[in-house]
Amino acid sequence: MYIQESIKTKYPPGDLALWIFICAELLVFAIFFAAYAFTRASNIELFNQYQATLNTDLALLNTIALLTSSYFVVSAIISIKENKQKQSTRFLFLSIIGGCAFLIMKMTEYSHHMSEGINLTTNLFYMFYLSLTFFHFMHVILGIMILLVLWLNTRKGLYTADNHDGLVSGGAYWHMVDLVWLILFPLIYIMK
Amino acid sequence: MEKSYRTNNIIFATLVLLTLFTWILGQKDIIGDISEIIDGKAFFLILLSIAIIKVHLIGDFFMHLNTVSGFWRWIITLWVMLTGSFIAIAFLL
Amino acid sequence: MKYESQSVAKLYFIAAIGLFVGQIVFGLIMGLQYVMGDFLFPEIPFNVARMVHTNLLIVWLLFGFMGASYYLVPEEAETELHSPMLAKLMFWVFLVAGALTILGYLLVPYAALAEMTGNHLLPTMGREFLEQPTITKIGIVIVALTFLYNIAFTILKGRKTVITLVLLLGLAGLAIFFLFSFYNPDNLVKDKFYWWFVVHLWVEGVWELIMASILAFVLIKTTGVDREIIEKWLYIIIAMALITGLIGTGHHFFWIGAPEYWLWWGSIFSALEPIPFFMMTVFAFNMVNKRRINHPNQPAVLWALGTAVMAFLGAGVWGFMHTLAPVNYYTHGTQITAAHGHMAFYGAYVMIVLAIISYAMPMMRGRKACNSAASQIVEMWSFWLMTISMVFITLFLTGAGILQVWLQRFSDEPMSFMVVQEKIELFYWMREGAGLVFLIGLLLYVYSFFIGGKERTVEDKV
Ligand code: HEM
Ligand code: HEM
Ligand SMILES: [Fe+2]
């Protein structure tokens, strides 16, 4: 085991096709982030004013929910490497809970905005805030669906210590959803 | 394997701590008006650096890129550096 | 050819090529009218020729897609077509309806045609690409549904592959989005908004799925590369096409009165639309490099590679050029748009249909795998003539477009539309010249089918 892990590979673990997809997705987010930052540069007052209306406490909890969920996915992979399917299944279940917690908290935030009559046309800041977070929100939903498939597959015993490429690939996608949020959180909620 | 679990725990704890730190920096009622303590640019740079470190950790440890060599080893780090630079240019210039 | 019923595709392909010739003839007529305003007036006014040109294009591509499906679905599903009879019947229904519609355009003034066909009962006519009388549109829906039924049942009873599922998704999307052509609100903003649900979501959404699956089929057959590898590519290509293409519709909502956020959504998402096209290019070349067999049908491989490159250039590069709102502000509706429309349609959809025709036709006409070496040489000539002349058409129109933007919209003392058109006349002459070469290429393509001779084997040089 030790030896195997110290040898470096040329390609990232998991399916290369999925990594290409991850790159494409990251590119989309990068452009969105840059667009936010540059638009803010010419509307600093407006952005600072409305940024202050956001709920950073919920955003903190959301970040932790995603991190915890990612943590459990990694744990699930470590377990499968030891051929502990049961334990791996449990970890995956917990990571799905983490993702769902994110969705619920984000939805309370959205419903709060909606009750205040805020929408895409309210102003430029909210346009970006809503577009970016909602685009990410959709990715969380997709990620959870992938996790569900992984969970079912693990339960069925499809993955073993020697064969768990699917789990690693799906996990990588979920970490991507997580790391995008790690930029989004400071950028939109805190940086000024 | 014990080692993998331990690494995982350490990385996770680091990520959570860094997140808490980021959050605290945004709290007026805890640390007061930040502009009285440090200058706005430094404030921004601290936040950005934390974010970059976090993303790098996710790439290296959660996505296991530390087991890869060559171009793909840096794919996430490269992405976050580039994205971070764009954001920095927009915020600082 | 493995299954008897695949041969219904032949009818569809022949009709497609016939209508293609018609389309180009009308393109040339219009091209001449651009520089000689009264050419063929009043017999064929410009607006009528334009309708015929674009509608023939759409109709023959649809014939091509249907033919492609009838050919590849039985082979992929490893079973005979659900109902070859129905496929033949629908062919004639579609052909007759199409012919009557075109004759209607040519023989009756458009307003009279609208009245004759009862447009006032359910007004859908008078919008670009969707000029067909309402009854023709209903006919198209019936043909499309019957076709989908036939294809879906073939897939259901046989082997299900990623290629057929992606194809089916694309075809179903094609039918669904066409339904928006029946929605014609009085509010001009809404009208335009939903008009793009047909036009954009076709070419930059569901048609991409159709293209990707036909391309994958031709590549599997001509390279012998593992299906799993090709399927993986298909998944990421269609995922990217949908993520970027659906919201990318916004690049048409900049100036029509839609909310402001479309400036952002449209710019950002459509800026990424080139990605799936780029992936298709990489995909095609990768597969051909990794090939396990040398297929004797060289033109088919050439068309497949050609479509991957030209689609990226026409849609990806020429599309990107004017897709960001600050650029589109100046280029909207100029010759730049026409340049892009020509190369994108040709590169993505004309060439993919020609690729599958080129691959399938020899076998449907009783050969083992391909035509004679002499025929293949002529076909490859036609490939280069058409492709290069299309590149020139695009370049000339781009030149015309840049000048147009400059003189009419950008300079300190903007000139009026018609004054500018006269100044860029030279480009239109050159476009017409390149168009003639295109027609020659197309006629050579047709001619290549009539060249007999011994079937080429891999050893024969072409
Ligand atoms: C195979 C794919 C494509 C085809 C067949 C195609 C075709 C067309 C056509 C025919 C038009 C003119 C529509 C009209 O106003 O009548 C058009 C417009 C446009 N296309 Fe595409 N296109 C494709 C892909 C793309 C891509 C990938 C992009 C962006 C990267 C793009 C960007 C645009 C834009 C911005 C316009 C509007 C131009 C204007 O404002 O006048 N297209 N396209
Ligand atoms: C396979 C080849 C061709 C394809 C796919 C094609 C496609 C199209 C499309 C999509 C349009 C509508 C463009 C728009 O709305 O901006 C169009 C218009 C037109 N095409 Fe073609 N075309 C082809 C060949 C030709 C040729 C060979 C000529 C002439 C030399 C030609 C001349 C024209 C003209 C003059 C228009 C009208 C542009 C306008 O409204 O100002 N086309 N064609
Ligand atoms: Fe479009």
Side-chain angles (χ1 to χ4, degrees), chain C residues 128 204 251-252 270 273 315 319-320 322 328 332-333 337 340 344 348-349:
Chain C
E128 194 196 351
E204 290 158 73
H251 64 181
H252 303 294
S270 72
E273 283 182 40
F320 182 80
H322 60 165
N328 193 266
H332 180 54
T337 308
H340 154 69
Y349 301 120

Side-chain angles (χ1 to χ4, degrees), chain B residues 12-83:
Chain B
F12 175 62
T14 316
L15 286 167
V16 171
L17 284 178
L18 287 174
T19 303
L20 278 172
F21 187 56
T22 303
W23 173 79
I24 286 174
L25 287 180
Q27 296 311 104
K28 267 209 174 76
D29 27 335
I30 296 181
I31 52 169
D33 192 354
I34 194 81
S35 59
E36 285 172 10
I37 309 168
I38 50 171
D39 131 282
K41 286 186 178 172
F43 175 66
F44 163 80
L45 280 174
I46 293 172
L47 285 169
L48 185 66
S49 317
I50 296 177
I52 290 178
I53 293 171
K54 280 159 72 181
V55 169
H56 173 75
L57 288 178
I58 296 255
D60 251 28
F61 293 95
F62 282 10
M63 296 169 118
H64 303 294
L65 290 180
N66 59 353
T67 65
V68 182
S69 67
F71 168 75
W72 286 99
R73 157 100 179 74
W74 299 108
I75 185 76
I76 297 292
T77 314
L78 218 63
W79 174 82
V80 73
M81 297 296 263
L82 272 177
T83 314

